[in-house]
Amino acid sequence: MNQFQYSRPADASVAIKTLSKDQNAYFLAGGTNLIDMMKMGLVSPQKLVDINNLPLKTVSEIPGGLRIGALVSNTNLAEHPLIKQKYPLLSLAINAGASPQLRNMATLGGNMMQRTRCPYFFDLTMPCNKRVPGSGCSALGGYNRMHAIFGASDKCIAVNPSDMNVAMVALDATVHISGAKGSRTMKFADFHRLPGDHPELDNNLKKGELITAVDLPEPRFSKNVHYVKIRDRASYAFALVSAAVALEIENDTIKEARLAMGGVAHKPWRLTAVEMFLKGKPANEAVFKQAAQLVSNGAKAYEYNKFKLKMAPNAVLQGLKVASGLASA
Ligand code: SF4
């Protein structure tokens, strides 16, 4: 058994100081990913800094939007009346993820920090650049059915496993971060990284930095939204492909569109070119089919995930149809 120190500060500055000083210290929130990784021997922290006593558990209205504390549980976030009423896409995405028990424990910040579910990452007997930089990528020539079709590198083709993150990117959320050198904000879309030459890094947090909150901008997409998740079984499974769709429709014309995908890249994958195509067009099936044809532009599949090249546009098409009311969920 690996010994580790445990602390539960009530002050964020104390938690940040501990993480900043110690290379092998980890924040502990819901523990739904970290504890699993400790049990499997993927990580062996010397210090666990339990942040559950920090005052980061509220959802509050701010001028022009909503601020969500990093320790708000996934259940409380998905079921919050303001989220359901003003940001229903976020509720749909969160409730598509994990199981009720896990959503009760998992936090907003922890969901953002969860590691990939690439099976080779969890298999200590196999090379994995994300787990051991420079050791190689077993998925490149292996069973890569769950892996990326966008933005991968020859070092890593893993995907981000979160559903919530996909909706956050579609909704143009902003992340608040505190560290030893002060506080900063970052677009949610810039929080997660592509693998490049450093697949060991999932995101752009610096050592010791703590996610304190996420802001959602003024709600524009409270009506025409849908989250499509295609997976191997009906619940408690990670997405093969998912699509978050939010439309602002006025007089049958698409005023604005927000589209992002999960299960296809190392980060939530925003479909900006498809959004631009849709803007100003009539909300009908012919337009949606044309938009869907743009989805896989630039995609690159591997031996076992070629099906995603068709599944991705089909997921977006279904999302557009349901969000606009042309089809039912
Ligand atoms: Fe590791 Fe990434 Fe390759 Fe999976 S895809 S084996 S996480 S380097």
Side-chain angles (χ1 to χ4, degrees):
M1 182 179 151
N2 292 314
Q3 301 280 331
F4 58 85
Q5 292 175 16
Y6 171 88
S7 62
R8 198 174 199 189
D11 186 325
S13 63
V14 175
I16 289 166
K17 202 171 167 189
T18 307
L19 259 281
S20 307
K21 278 194 310 195
D22 196 323
Q23 275 301 320
N24 209 6
Y26 285 66
F27 289 134
L28 172 68
T32 56
N33 192 203
L34 179 60
I35 301 298
D36 279 352
M37 292 197 297
M38 288 172 68
K39 287 180 191 166
M40 297 168 91
L42 265 81
V43 293
S44 302
Q46 287 171 346
K47 285 184 185 169
L48 277 189
V49 181
D50 185 335
I51 55 174
N52 283 292
N53 276 351
L54 302 185
L56 304 172
K57 293 183 180 169
T58 55
V59 177
S60 48
E61 288 185 283
I62 55 172
L66 208 63
R67 178 157 299 165
I68 307 160
L71 289 172
V72 173
S73 75
N74 284 188
T75 298
N76 286 345
L77 185 52
E79 300 305 324
H80 195 285
L82 287 173
I83 298 291
K84 289 174 90 165
Q85 181 196 343
K86 297 184 173 182
Y87 307 92
L89 180 64
L90 185 56
S91 280
L92 290 171
I94 292 172
N95 282 329
S99 65
Q101 293 88 344
L102 284 167
R103 293 196 294 270
N104 287 342
M105 290 300 294
T107 63
L108 165 63
N111 194 326
M112 292 167 64
M113 295 297 292
Q114 65 176 307
R115 310 296 314 264
T116 185
R117 270 29 178 224
C118 171
Y120 301 108
F121 176 69
F122 286 91
D123 185 344
L124 297 177
T125 67
M126 297 296 287
C128 170
N129 285 325
K130 188 178 278 297
R131 182 168 25 80
V132 183
S135 62
C137 172
S138 297
L140 269 173
Y143 190 50
N144 41 40
R145 179 172 175 270
M146 297 292 292
H147 291 74
I149 55 171
F150 293 114
S153 75
D154 60 358
K155 303 283 192 301
C156 179
I157 59 171
V159 298
N160 185 285
S162 168
D163 294 294
M164 182 197 80
N165 291 345
V166 183
M168 287 290 196
V169 164
L171 292 171
D172 283 327
T174 302
V175 186
H176 288 260
I177 296 163
S178 286
K181 292 183 180 163
S183 300
R184 62 186 179 126
T185 59
M186 187 188 290
K187 285 183 180 175
F188 203 102
D190 295 332
F191 182 83
H192 296 95
R193 294 168 49 97
L194 291 178
D197 289 333
H198 290 284
E200 72 278 12
L201 301 174
D202 295 341
N203 57 60
N204 288 311
L205 271 190
K206 295 184 185 132
K207 179 67 190 160
E209 284 189 320
L210 174 71
I211 303 163
T212 56
V214 169
D215 285 356
L216 293 171
E218 197 172 352
R220 298 182 65 180
F221 307 100
S222 54
K223 190 172 167 215
N224 294 111
V225 300
H226 192 52
Y227 188 74
V228 177
K229 182 172 181 178
I230 303 173
R231 48 188 156 179
D232 285 328
R233 55 175 187 250
S235 69
Y236 193 28
F238 294 100
L240 290 164
V241 162
S242 68
V245 176
L247 301 172
E248 190 179 0
I249 299 175
E250 221 174 75
N251 300 324
D252 296 328
T253 299
I254 301 164
K255 213 171 152 196
E256 286 291 341
R258 296 285 185 276
L259 303 170
M261 300 203 74
V264 295
H266 199 259
K267 60 187 287 183
W269 195 253
R270 182 91 175 246
L271 298 171
T272 315
V274 188
E275 293 174 1
M276 284 168 60
F277 171 82
L278 286 165
K279 187 170 177 167
K281 299 245 179 10
N284 63 39
E285 186 157 356
V287 166
F288 294 157
K289 282 183 173 167
Q290 288 172 36
Q293 283 174 8
L294 303 175
V295 168
S296 287
N297 284 355
K300 178 189 171 190
Y302 297 87
E303 186 173 0
Y304 294 101
N305 70 351
K306 293 187 176 70
F307 67 93
K308 289 193 181 186
L309 299 177
K310 281 189 181 170
M311 188 178 274
N314 284 340
V316 170
L317 178 58
Q318 179 66 6
L320 287 167
K321 284 162 70 174
V322 175
S324 63
L326 288 185
S328 50

